[in-house]
Amino acid sequence: RLAPALCAAGFEVQAPLLVRWYNEHPKVTPLGVAHHLDADGDTLALLVGNSRTLWRPFVRWVGERLAEDENYLARHPDALDAYARHAVSTLLRALDGVPGLDAAPSVVFADETLETHGRCVSVATAAHVAGLAFYDASLQRSLHKALGPWIAYRAVIVFSGVTAPRLPRPPEPTNPLSPAEAQRVLAIQQDCFLRWDDSDEQANWGRLRSIVDAFEIGREHRYEHEMMQFHYEPDAHRRLEALRRTALCARGPGDGGAAARRAALSCD
């Protein structure tokens, strides 16, 4: 019931895990409780993420917000985080009354930090222990065997009171990169950081983009142009203006009032 609803919202990357798989990981165990999932070890959890399929549902949602409030993006510059929270929370509320769920699930979102929420979770580690994607420490990146680097994580849902001690633990994922590809991408990444220039953010982010574009694995799952612009445009105003225009164009001139009609004139 939850899985297809998450897929429809653009979060088709999902992987079940037990809380202890994460909490007992060597990188997590030494950390304080603020870094742990707060549940018994056999409690069922679900890692939620996305590939490029997130873009259309997200853009549609932003268009709906802009139809209600033309200044929505000015007041909510972290619109993607807002969408993830809205979508996941709404879908979990729909589970109220489902047999076997005696307590409401809790959620740790990927954007949470110790400074903002007093807790945080390593979603890349969660993906690794769930067998979803290999974490390459040298590249500091999760790599999926099919999607490659074109993957992002949004939340870990913890189903409090639901235990699954017999859930089979998946094999530890292996690096899907060939040694040659790993070395080639690492060289591009090292060059990017060596040439980092705080006075030229456009060049910096262009080189960051060149890193992810260098992967052969998952190339067919590369983010579309507008999605790349959203993720790799360092100027907040340009990034949000491009998102606004894309969202209003997606709604069409008859859906969103004057703002949508103005945007539709320049959609082509």
Side-chain angles (χ1 to χ4, degrees), residues 53-192:
T53 60
L54 172 71
W55 186 244
R56 293 304 169 187
F58 168 56
V59 165
R60 184 167 57 249
W61 181 83
V62 172
E64 292 168 356
R65 304 288 80 72
L66 289 171
E68 300 167 354
D69 176 7
E70 288 190 8
N71 297 315
Y72 177 82
L73 289 176
R75 296 189 296 103
H76 299 87
D78 297 321
L80 184 51
D81 293 334
Y83 173 65
R85 288 178 175 276
H86 167 81
V88 172
S89 299
T90 299
L91 293 175
L92 289 180
R93 284 196 296 271
L95 296 179
D96 289 350
V98 171
L101 283 179
D102 298 327
S106 60
V107 188
V108 182
F109 288 96
D111 65 309
E112 295 184 14
T113 67
L114 291 179
E115 293 75 20
T116 60
H117 293 81
R119 64 179 184 180
C120 66
V121 64
S122 170
V123 286
T125 300
H128 191 90
V129 301
L132 176 65
F134 176 81
Y135 180 70
D136 189 312
S138 62
L139 295 174
Q140 300 178 26
R141 191 180 297 273
S142 269
L143 298 169
H144 187 272
K145 63 182 180 181
L147 299 171
W150 304 105
I151 186 172
Y153 309 119
R154 302 299 168 190
V156 176
I157 302 171
V158 178
F159 296 94
S160 306
V162 179
T163 57
R166 296 183 180 179
L167 182 68
R169 184 160 190 168
E172 184 167 334
T174 57
N175 195 335
L177 299 182
S178 68
E181 183 172 3
Q183 286 299 315
R184 179 172 56 80
V185 175
L186 180 60
I188 294 172
Q189 178 171 290
Q190 291 172 335
D191 177 70
C192 170

Side-chain angles (χ1 to χ4, degrees), residues 16-25 41 125 129-130 167-170:
L17 67 149
L18 295 184
V19 165
R20 61 179 166 84
W21 297 354
Y22 175 81
N23 286 350
E24 294 174 3
H25 189 275
T125 300
V129 301
L167 182 68
R169 184 160 190 168

Side-chain angles (χ1 to χ4, degrees), residues 139 141 184-198 200-212 214 232:
L139 295 174
R141 191 180 297 273
R184 179 172 56 80
V185 175
L186 180 60
I188 294 172
Q189 178 171 290
Q190 291 172 335
D191 177 70
C192 170
F193 295 146
L194 283 172
R195 297 170 63 188
W196 196 268
D197 181 356
D198 289 339
D200 192 348
E201 286 297 287
Q202 286 292 338
N204 292 336
W205 281 83
R207 285 189 285 269
L208 286 174
R209 180 171 174 165
S210 72
I211 297 170
V212 70
Y232 288 93

Side-chain angles (χ1 to χ4, degrees), residues 233-253:
E233 170 53 63
D235 183 271
H237 176 76
R238 282 197 292 265
R239 181 173 65 252
L240 293 178
E241 178 58 24
L243 174 59
R244 183 195 69 83
R245 181 172 174 272
T246 299
L248 292 177
C249 287
R251 286 184 60 80

